[in-house]
């Protein structure tokens, strides 16, 4: 690998910014962490110092009580790290507060995308294409079979099914941070202003989104609500609760799941899903490859997901690329 | 094709049987001829296009997608047709507006016309006109494996539901017709005369029996015969051809070719297919256990060696048609007489008669039933002497009186979540028996899994079992939980045989939960020896036993 980028060193437990001795999204406790976004596989508690966007810090506070030794950085803002490294946080469009981190030293520019998407999302600002020398990208949906359909069509499917069965409810499994709030916000955009019922595990995060300025309309706890009250309504829960006994309290639920993995039938069937909704907070294949072309870096490093296929694509398009073996990133619930 | 593709997807994601029935019936009602007939043929896997195989799809895609990207995608998706449907690049809009999607009928016509030489240029033309779901449905239809989780019987039931006709009539006409089944739709949907079913070796729906349960019957009105533990079959000979059908109406002629050759008289026979065996069968003569029969089931072709080692024969129960005459309306006694008269005209190595059991009274019969040692016997059949041969189960005509099940006390080891209505419950249970002495704390006794059951309990019991599993979990492996081995099941089963597939070396037939022994300590459950003793016959040692009805 080019020795000129030796100040950035990928290790199995995170990306090491050597002159600053800090780590991006480390999976173990470190003295100083730069965190891209609040999902549990990227943001962990217990670091000596944490640098992230104010929204990500608020999410980490909610989840890990991370409130000491924090350094908020707004989008577009640059902070000087030890060793003369400049770090700029740029919108990644993944979830509220999610950022790419641009690192600069001696005229070399490296971007770590964290997780990102290119579609419009009413709950967070869009991904910002920024030129760089090394583009360190995710590859969660890094297979050419993954083409996420427009979200409006998925919302229409959900609302059509809801209208067809007024005596039942539609139970939508959605990841607690990001996906759940995006689904709610998109439902509101689609003109659905009925109350939406929430599994207890989603309530605090939705409240935090509202405090941070994302309005979600009328939300009600599913716990304690009567079966009759929930008939004809949408209920949201984390994916793990879809087929759990928790759902027995609901009025004959139609089980749906909002996830990029719903693109393939076997994955949807494994989840016992009746209504698969292909809604992802990650870039799909055309967006992963299109973003690399737009950013047009000298090198592409691939962090996690289906790196083999994206690596192959880079080869086929005469782009320098390497796969990094990072551990601890999970993608099952997107 | 769009409506058909939507139906295919809806069937994939619908779990309940009734839901699937409604979806198909609704489609059949609102779709015109012959489109719905072709769709029905596709759903029942009745279409075959020799030019289109899974390898064809792979070849097509290799021409368009990097082979490594294809392979990585195929490995992830797990299905060639689905991978291809997702990776297919529709033509660029600059090439003009795409042609409209083909109907199922047009697709079937185009696919039928394809040859191995033309398929690589013609199939893409169809794919170009479809969206991903349409491409998936087309490729599944073309390769003849829909995998939508419905049986042919379910599709026929849906047809009957759609047009309010009798499913057994549908079944009978079905076998006389080829896709797109136009006479079937003319009859059911358009009010025409039923299709002609004479002069063809057709399947006739079986007459079935109710369990006897606590009933007693008068032997003046009923005859008793053995209920053989083989597979119920129907042999139909007409118009110079002979077909062998399973209980569900599947054509299994190719699996047992010697039987089709053996019947050349125009007739329809009902009987039990068995395989000759030497070590059991007693005075009834030479039927091997179900185990021996299984060696031959499920094979599409059969080797000469297999024909010689496990020759099949049919033990005849009934005669439905003979020489063009339908005997089904006649009383059983007349059909039986005709069957007995027919027997000398049939080759003896492939046909014998299920004998009538002489018994003076019902009590006498019970003694005979309890005393039987033959593994090829499942129990008794009781048939009303005056009964016609009618499709399905009709009360009061035929009864089955199975031998009491064997019982053994096992310990719950693993539980798995069910599906459908039971998706949130741990409802599938794996249980074991002790190897070594569980009462000896230093003995190192361990449990060996012996079987798996998911029936035999009420909904209330299921809730309590589910709670038990959640509260006694030691480990989790995906959908499976390992429990702390504290709960005893009294398991009922029909028989047990040696099996190399299981660690215990044993496999149970039809295990089900008979009673949940909340009260019984796990170390008092049975030892493996109790089951091993049952492999050849009756309880020899231990505590495994026949269910004792008097104690219930």
């Amino acid at each position: 690998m080019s020795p000129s980028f030796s100040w950035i060193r990928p290790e199995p437990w995170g990306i090491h910014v050597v002159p600053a001795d800090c780590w991006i999204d480390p999976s173990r406790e470190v003295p100083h962490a730069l965190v891209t976004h609040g999902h549990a596989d990227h943001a962990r508690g217990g670091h000596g110092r944490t640098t992230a966007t104010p929204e990500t810090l608020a999410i980490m506070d909610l989840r890990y009580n991370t409130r000491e030794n924090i350094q908020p950085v707004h989008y577009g803002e640059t902070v000087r790290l030890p060793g003369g490294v400049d770090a700029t946080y740029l919108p990644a469009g993944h979830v509220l507060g999610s950022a790419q981190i641009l690192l600069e030293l001696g005229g070399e520019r490296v971007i770590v995308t964290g997780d990102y998407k290119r579609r419009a999302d009413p709950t967070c600002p869009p991904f910002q294409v920024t030129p760089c020398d090394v583009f360190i990208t995710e590859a969660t949906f890094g297979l050419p079979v993954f083409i996420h359909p427009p979200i409006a069509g998925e919302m229409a499917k959900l609302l059509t099914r809801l209208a067809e069965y007024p005596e039942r409810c539609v139970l939508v499994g959605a990841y607690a941070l990001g996906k759940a709030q995006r689904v709610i916000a998109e439902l509101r955009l689609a003109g659905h202003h009925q109350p939406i019922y929430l599994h207890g595990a989603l309530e605090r995060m939705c409240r935090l989104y509202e405090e941070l300025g994302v309005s979600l309309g009328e939300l009600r706890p599913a716990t304690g609500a009567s079966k009759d009250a929930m008939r004809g309504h949408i209920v949201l829960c984390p994916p793990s609760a879809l087929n759990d006994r928790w759902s027995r309290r609901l009025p004959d639920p139609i089980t749906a799941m909002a996830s990029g993995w719903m693109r393939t039938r076997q994955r949807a069937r494994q989840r016992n899903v009746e209504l698969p909704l292909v809604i992802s907070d990650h870039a799909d294949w055309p967006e992963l490859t299109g973003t690399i072309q737009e950013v047009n870096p000298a090198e592409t490093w691939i962090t996690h997901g289906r790196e083999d296929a994206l690596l192959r694509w880079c080869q086929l398009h005469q782009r320098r690329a390497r796969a990094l073996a990072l551990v601890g990133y999970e993608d099952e619930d997107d | 094709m769009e409506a058909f593709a939507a139906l295919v997807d809806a069937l994939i994601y619908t779990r309940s049987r009734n839901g699937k029935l409604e979806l198909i019936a609704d489609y059949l009602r609102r779709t015109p001829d012959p489109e719905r007939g072709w769709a029905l043929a596709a759903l029942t896997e009745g279409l075959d296009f020799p030019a289109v195989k899974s390898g064809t799809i792979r070849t097509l895609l290799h021409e368009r997608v990097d082979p490594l990207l294809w392979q990585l995608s195929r490995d992830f998706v797990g299905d060639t047709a689905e991978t291809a449907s997702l990776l297919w690049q529709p033509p660029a809009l600059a090439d003009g507006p795409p042609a409209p999607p083909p109907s199922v009928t047009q697709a079937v016509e185009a696919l039928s016309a394809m040859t191995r030489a033309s398929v690589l240029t013609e199939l893409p033309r169809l794919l170009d006109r479809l969206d991903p779901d349409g491409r998936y449905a087309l490729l599944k239809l073309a390769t003849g494996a829909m995998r939508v989780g419905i049986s042919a019987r379910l599709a026929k039931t849906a047809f009957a539901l759609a047009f309010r006709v009798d499913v057994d009539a549908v079944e009978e006409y079905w076998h006389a017709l080829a896709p797109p089944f136009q006479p079937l739709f003319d009859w059911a949907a358009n009010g025409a005369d039923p299709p002609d079913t004479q002069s063809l070796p057709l399947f006739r729906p079986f007459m079935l029996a109710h369990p006897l349960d606590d009933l007693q019957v008068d032997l003046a009105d009923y005859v008793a015969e053995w209920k053989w533990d083989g597979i119920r079959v129907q042999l139909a000979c007409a118009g110079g051809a002979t077909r062998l059908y399973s209980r569900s109406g599947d054509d299994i002629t190719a699996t047992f070719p010697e039987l089709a050759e053996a019947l050349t008289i125009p007739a329809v026979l009902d009987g039990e297919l068995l395989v000759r065996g030497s070590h059991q069968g007693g005075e009834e003569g030479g039927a091997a256990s179900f185990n021996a029969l299984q060696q031959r089931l499920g094979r599409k072709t059969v080797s000469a060696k297999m024909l010689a080692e496990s020759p099949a024969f049919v033990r005849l129960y009934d005669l439905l048609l003979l020489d063009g005459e339908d005997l089904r309306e006649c009383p059983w006694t007349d059909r039986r007489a005709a069957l007995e008269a027919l027997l000398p005209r049939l080759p003896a190595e492939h046909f014998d008669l299920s004998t009538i059991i002489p018994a003076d009274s019902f009590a006498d019969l019970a003694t005979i039933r309890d005393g039987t040692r033959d593994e090829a016997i499942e129990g008794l059949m009781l048939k009303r002497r005056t009964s016609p041969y009618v499709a399905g189960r009709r009360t009061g005509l035929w009864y089955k009186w199975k031998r009491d099940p064997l019982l053994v006390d096992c310990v719950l080891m693993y539980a798995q979540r069910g599906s459908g209505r039971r998706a949130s419950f741990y409802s599938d249970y794996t249980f074991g028996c002790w190897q070594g002495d569980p009462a000896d704390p230093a003995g190192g006794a361990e449990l060996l899994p012996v079987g798996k059951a998911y029936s035999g309990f009420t909904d209330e019991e299921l809730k309590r079992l589910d709670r038990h599993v959640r509260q006694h979990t030691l480990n989790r492996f995906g959908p499976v939980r390992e429990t702390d081995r504290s709960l005893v099941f009294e398991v009922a089963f029909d028989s047990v045989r040696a099996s190399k597939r299981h660690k215990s070396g044993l496999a149970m037939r039809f295990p089900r939960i008979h009673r949940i022994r909340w009260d019984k300590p796990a170390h008092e459950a049975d030892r493996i020896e109790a089951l091993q003793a049952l492999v050849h016959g009756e309880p020899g040692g231990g505590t495994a036993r026949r269910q004792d009805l008097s104690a219930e």
Side-chain angles (χ1 to χ4, degrees), chain B residues 75-348:
Chain B
D75 289 349
F76 177 85
V77 175
D79 182 280
T80 297
E82 182 167 9
T83 313
S85 75
L86 294 171
L87 289 183
W88 192 260
Q89 292 289 327
L93 287 175
D95 299 343
S103 64
V104 175
T105 309
Q106 288 165 342
V108 167
E109 282 166 3
L111 288 165
S112 306
M114 288 178 201
T115 63
R116 279 173 192 277
S118 71
V119 66
L120 295 180
T121 51
E122 293 300 321
L123 188 53
R125 287 173 208 259
L126 284 180
L127 291 169
D128 281 346
R129 294 161 64 185
L130 293 161
D131 68 0
D133 290 345
R135 294 194 289 262
Y136 176 80
L138 175 80
L139 291 173
K140 283 296 184 188
L141 177 150
T143 51
M146 297 303 300
R147 294 215 307 188
V148 289
I150 66 160
S151 63
R153 178 71 182 181
L154 188 103
K156 292 166 200 164
T157 308
F159 180 97
L161 178 76
F163 304 113
R164 298 172 186 281
V165 291
D166 178 26
V167 66
D168 290 315
V170 175
E171 189 77 73
E172 181 151 346
Y173 301 146
W174 184 273
H175 294 270
L177 303 171
F181 311 111
Q182 195 54 55
L184 197 66
F185 285 97
D186 286 343
W187 160 68
N190 309 331
D193 286 338
D196 172 33
T197 57
Q198 295 301 316
S199 72
L200 288 170
L202 297 182
F203 171 73
R204 269 76 182 185
F206 277 107
M207 179 159 179
L208 303 171
H210 277 287
L212 186 65
D213 293 330
D214 299 332
L215 240 70
Q216 293 205 2
V217 295
D218 188 340
L219 293 187
D221 299 331
Y222 286 82
V223 291
E225 45 181 322
W226 296 118
K227 179 168 168 44
W228 296 97
D229 191 10
I231 57 169
R232 184 93 177 269
V233 291
Q234 185 176 99
L235 256 178
C237 175
T242 304
R243 296 272 178 278
L244 182 68
Y245 296 104
S246 71
R247 216 187 91 160
S248 51
D250 294 327
D251 186 337
I252 54 169
T253 313
T255 311
F256 300 96
E258 70 268 45
L259 294 176
E261 286 165 21
L263 180 65
T264 52
I265 301 164
V268 176
L269 300 166
D270 178 351
E272 196 85 7
L273 193 152
L274 298 158
V275 162
R276 292 257 178 244
S278 52
H279 65 283
Q280 54 204 347
E283 67 271 25
E284 288 292 338
S289 67
F290 194 78
N291 198 9
L293 180 56
Q294 274 193 322
Q295 308 294 320
R296 288 201 52 181
L297 283 175
R299 290 174 193 272
K300 288 205 167 154
T301 58
V302 57
S303 67
K305 179 165 174 275
M306 202 162 268
L307 278 176
E309 281 178 3
S310 311
F313 69 101
V314 177
R315 188 151 283 167
L316 296 169
Y317 292 138
D318 217 318
L319 178 60
L320 283 65
L321 279 82
L322 181 63
D323 294 325
E325 191 185 347
D326 196 335
L327 305 176
R328 285 178 289 179
E329 290 302 315
C330 304
W332 175 88
T333 40
D334 292 3
R335 296 199 310 276
R336 177 75 188 188
L339 180 63
E340 287 177 8
L342 174 67
L343 192 70
R345 296 166 64 195
L346 300 173

Side-chain angles (χ1 to χ4, degrees), chain B residues 37-65:
Chain B
W38 292 117
L40 190 59
L43 290 176
T44 52
E45 303 190 352
L47 295 177
D48 183 32
F49 305 103
V52 193
K53 294 283 167 255
S54 200
T56 320
I57 300 173
R58 207 163 39 240
T59 308
L60 272 182
L61 267 293
H62 273 187
E63 291 171 2
R64 290 161 173 79
V65 179

Side-chain angles (χ1 to χ4, degrees), chain A residues 193-212:
Chain A
H193 297 293
Q194 297 292 312
I196 293 173
Y197 288 85
L198 297 181
H199 183 281
L202 304 180
E203 286 176 25
R204 287 198 309 165
M205 195 58 76
C206 287
R207 207 176 307 131
L208 179 66
Y209 261 63
E210 297 237 65
E211 285 166 15
L212 294 171

Side-chain angles (χ1 to χ4, degrees), chain B residues 5-19:
Chain B
L7 171 67
V8 167
D9 265 9
L11 287 171
I12 287 174
Y13 296 122
T14 299
R15 287 176 285 182
S16 87
R17 183 173 180 278
N18 282 342

